[in-house]
Amino acid sequence: MNAPPPSGRGPRRFGWPQRVFSQVLLMQLAVVTGVTVLVTGLFLAPLGDRLDEEAMLRALAIARSTAAQPGIAEDLRTTEPSAPGPVQSAAERVRRATGAEYVVVMDRRGVRWSHPEADRIGDVVSTDPGDVLRGEDVMEIDSGTLGRSARGKAPLRDASGEVVGAVSVGIAYDSVRARLLGAIPGLLAYAGGALAVGALAAYLISRRLQRQTHDLAFSDISALLTEREAMLHSIREGVVALDGTGRIRLLNDEAQRLLGLGPEAAGRPLEAVLDGGRTADVLAGRVVGEDLLAVQGGRVLLANRMETDDGGAVVTLRDRTELEHLGRELDSTTGLIDALRAQDHEHANRLHTLLGLLELGMHEEATEFVTEVVGVHRATAEQVTEKVRDPLLAALLVGKATVAAERGVALRLAPGTLLPDRVVDPRGLVTVVGNLVDNATDAAAGSADARIEVGLRAEGRTVVLRVRDSGPGVAPERYASIFTEGWSTKGLPAHGKRGLGLPLVRRLAERQGGGVTVAGADGGGAVFTVVLPEALAAPEPVPDPEPVSHPEPVSDTATTIATVTTGESR
């Protein structure tokens, strides 16, 4: 699969950029700029209102303090409005002290008794004084003879509390506007600083995103995701992706099949979906190496694990079940060829003996010799089929006995062996017995009085299998490790892998709710015991026998099986 261009670059075009880094940076800068402008506007809008209110409150406070001065109300009653009058003098003194634009004292008729412009004294004020003359405080922004100003008006009362006039104070509106304009540069400086910090943060975030996305365009990322999904679900290898905490991030279709999991396993911890064992250890990285073997649900898997930069890992799984079966068949075929080669020599010796007896005219001795040779094989087959009623298992034991005999190992059934023909999973039981007998043959070959004893008995619906050999045995400290995938004391076979037979036996036994154990045998060797609950079907009720007038002779089934098996082993 060809990778997309590393940065999504092509012919230079104007317009919206294609790379993730550039798009995210522009979007973040736009967001930061918009937020900064919005916050600045939201701050400036109420700032003007607050400054206006502060100016009006200041004007009202000056008006109240002026109206509270003793003597102004009395002077208003006893004097005439004039420039040198006491009311004008007091009002100007207050104006100069407070910095107000004007301080105007009026009587109830609205006639001015004071004004910054002396020639306006004695005139009626330009705005309606009705509210303040009714005893109410007034704050407003209005225009008068001196221009626009922030005003505060307070009633003027005499000693008895009667309203005799009013005091109007104005703060020049230009000074309020000047304060607002004076605050804008500082506010813009803060906004510019915030914008610069936001732009720097946006750039740093975008740079990190650029590194993490390898400077790809959004279209490239979408194409890679689509191609990845198609590839993962089409390949015939299982792929399991884990995050840094051991949770399953991805599980393709083949991995679900090999591990016996469903799509709901994605997002769950590995230990929650796999009940321990070597497979979970391999996937979790607790067992390291290349081409690690694991057995899961009767399947032989080959696993390889690779760490990722974020602390997770990707594990690939290959199904080697069929290959292992072929490898074991190759081993069996090789052993059978060796056995056939040995039997060929033995058969040639027997033919030479038979030919010699015939040439010497010893016909009776020749007949006895042939009967004896055939009888040995037939007796062996009949003994097995009489005690082991399942045809597949009986044929297996007869064939294994022949192969073991060619290697100098005697295979016999243990006393009390009896297995009815009600096996639920004959192939699974054949796999268990075959693996144990093969291992026992390898262990017993070459030992003194080499022998294998196989015991099969039924306890209700439970099958108990015991395989005993006369080999060197197993050290107690290795009782647990021999059931681990990859553990073996033998050299590599033709297919290059060992250490799968006993783990497969354990897995098959556990799948049926049973187990397998190993112990030392009396007199040396090892004893493997397998317990398989529910391995036998419930017995069918036996109907009452009906009388038969002419019973047919029963065919010798055991003889047939033995004959076929003996022919195959030759």
Side-chain angles (χ1 to χ4, degrees):
M1 181 179 67
N2 295 328
S7 60
R9 297 183 180 90
R12 183 176 295 276
R13 294 179 297 177
F14 295 100
W16 187 251
Q18 298 298 315
R19 291 183 299 169
V20 176
F21 162 72
S22 302
Q23 290 191 27
V24 172
L25 179 59
L26 287 179
M27 287 188 291
Q28 287 182 324
L29 289 177
V31 170
V32 170
T33 303
V35 170
T36 303
V37 172
L38 179 62
V39 171
T40 303
L42 292 176
F43 184 79
L44 284 176
L47 179 61
D49 295 337
R50 286 200 300 270
L51 292 177
D52 289 347
E53 186 177 3
E54 289 178 2
M56 290 186 292
L57 288 173
R58 179 186 169 204
L60 181 60
I62 296 173
R64 285 175 176 176
S65 63
T66 302
Q69 289 185 13
I72 292 184
E74 186 63 27
D75 291 338
L76 200 64
R77 287 178 178 274
T78 58
T79 62
E80 294 294 330
S82 61
V87 176
Q88 170 71 359
S89 300
E92 285 298 301
R93 186 168 56 251
V94 172
R95 184 181 67 82
R96 288 190 295 269
T98 58
E101 183 180 18
Y102 64 84
V103 177
V104 175
V105 180
M106 68 187 79
D107 59 16
R108 290 190 61 83
R109 297 170 299 170
V111 177
R112 298 188 186 97
W113 285 66
S114 65
H115 197 278
E117 298 176 358
D119 57 345
R120 294 183 181 274
I121 295 175
D123 296 338
V124 178
V125 295
S126 59
T127 57
D128 181 19
D131 293 338
V132 68
L133 292 177
R134 286 192 294 269
E136 300 176 4
D137 292 335
V138 176
M139 294 190 303
E140 60 185 1
I141 302 292
D142 204 354
S143 299
T145 56
L146 297 178
R148 191 170 181 81
S149 61
R151 299 179 179 183
K153 298 178 183 181
L156 180 62
R157 302 176 187 274
D158 60 9
S160 63
E162 182 182 355
V163 177
V164 296
V167 178
S168 177
V169 176
I171 304 296
Y173 196 74
D174 290 341
S175 63
V176 179
R177 184 180 301 169
R179 289 183 60 193
L180 176 61
L181 295 176
I184 290 178
L187 180 61
L188 292 179
Y190 284 116
L195 180 61
V197 173
L200 178 61
Y203 176 76
L204 294 177
I205 293 174
S206 300
R207 286 290 296 176
R208 181 178 181 185
L209 184 61
Q210 181 185 29
R211 291 192 298 270
Q212 291 181 339
T213 59
H214 302 284
D215 202 18
L216 294 173
F218 277 114
S219 59
D220 296 334
I221 295 177
S222 177
L224 285 175
L225 180 60
T226 303
E227 293 171 2
R228 188 201 72 162
E229 290 298 316
M231 177 184 67
L232 287 177
H233 293 288
S234 63
I235 61 176
R236 302 310 299 167
E237 286 192 3
V239 178
V240 181
L242 306 172
D243 62 13
T245 62
R247 289 183 177 273
I248 299 176
R249 286 192 296 203
L250 182 143
L251 196 71
N252 73 341
D253 297 341
E254 183 67 6
Q256 295 175 24
R257 184 183 72 86
L258 295 179
L259 298 177
L261 303 177
E264 67 278 0
R268 299 179 60 190
L270 181 64
E271 303 297 337
V273 297
L274 293 178
D275 300 330
R278 179 178 172 85
T279 303
D281 293 339
V282 170
L283 294 179
R286 291 187 288 270
V287 179
V288 296
E290 295 182 354
D291 293 338
L292 298 172
L293 288 172
V295 177
Q296 179 69 18
R299 295 186 180 275
V300 180
L301 306 178
L302 195 66
N304 284 280
R305 190 175 192 272
M306 177 174 290
E307 305 289 337
T308 56
D309 294 338
D310 60 354
V314 175
V315 184
T316 59
L317 302 171
R318 282 178 285 169
D319 190 355
R320 289 183 59 94
T321 307
E322 297 299 329
L323 183 60
E324 292 302 325
H325 287 169
L326 291 175
R328 284 196 293 272
E329 289 182 8
L330 178 60
D331 288 344
S332 300
T333 302
T334 303
L336 184 59
I337 290 174
D338 294 338
L340 289 175
R341 186 179 294 112
Q343 280 199 354
D344 179 57
H345 291 287
E346 181 183 357
H347 186 60
N349 293 332
R350 289 171 180 170
L351 288 178
H352 293 159
T353 303
L354 179 60
L355 178 62
L357 291 174
L358 293 175
E359 289 180 350
L360 294 175
M362 304 173 67
H363 300 124
E364 293 183 1
E365 287 79 358
T367 303
E368 292 177 0
F369 178 74
V370 172
T371 303
E372 180 183 358
V373 171
V374 174
V376 171
H377 292 285
R378 180 173 298 176
T380 301
E382 289 178 351
Q383 181 187 17
V384 172
T385 54
E386 180 182 357
K387 296 184 177 181
V388 180
R389 306 292 175 79
D390 184 83
L392 285 179
L393 195 57
L396 173 74
L397 290 174
V398 171
K400 294 294 183 183
T402 302
V403 174
E406 297 301 333
R407 299 183 62 181
V409 180
L411 189 153
R412 63 173 180 265
L413 296 179
T417 296
L418 182 61
L419 184 69
D421 187 12
R422 292 186 285 109
V423 180
V424 175
D425 183 13
R427 294 184 181 275
L429 188 56
V430 163
T431 300
V432 171
V433 175
N435 277 287
L436 292 179
V437 171
D438 285 344
N439 288 342
T441 303
D442 292 338
S447 63
D449 189 19
R451 66 192 182 281
I452 301 172
E453 186 177 83
V454 179
L456 280 163
R457 73 174 189 274
E459 298 179 356
R461 296 184 58 187
T462 300
V463 171
V464 179
L465 165 68
R466 284 191 175 88
V467 178
R468 175 178 175 178
D469 63 73
S470 61
V474 180
E477 62 271 12
R478 292 184 175 178
Y479 284 172
S481 60
I482 63 173
F483 296 104
T484 303
E485 289 90 344
W487 189 93
S488 178
T489 59
K490 310 173 199 174
L492 291 178
H495 56 289
K497 296 291 180 183
R498 278 216 185 270
L500 293 175
L502 290 178
L504 189 58
V505 169
R506 184 192 66 178
R507 187 68 66 183
L508 290 173
E510 291 176 348
R511 191 168 62 181
Q512 297 187 24
V516 55
T517 58
V518 60
D522 296 337
V527 177
F528 287 84
T529 303
V530 181
V531 179
L532 301 174
E534 309 297 327
L536 297 178
E540 297 180 359
V542 180
D544 295 334
E546 297 180 359
V548 180
S549 58
H550 299 285
E552 295 290 338
V554 180
S555 62
D556 191 354
T557 306
T559 304
T560 303
I561 295 176
T563 303
V564 172
T565 306
T566 305
E568 289 181 350
S569 42
R570 291 181 182 176

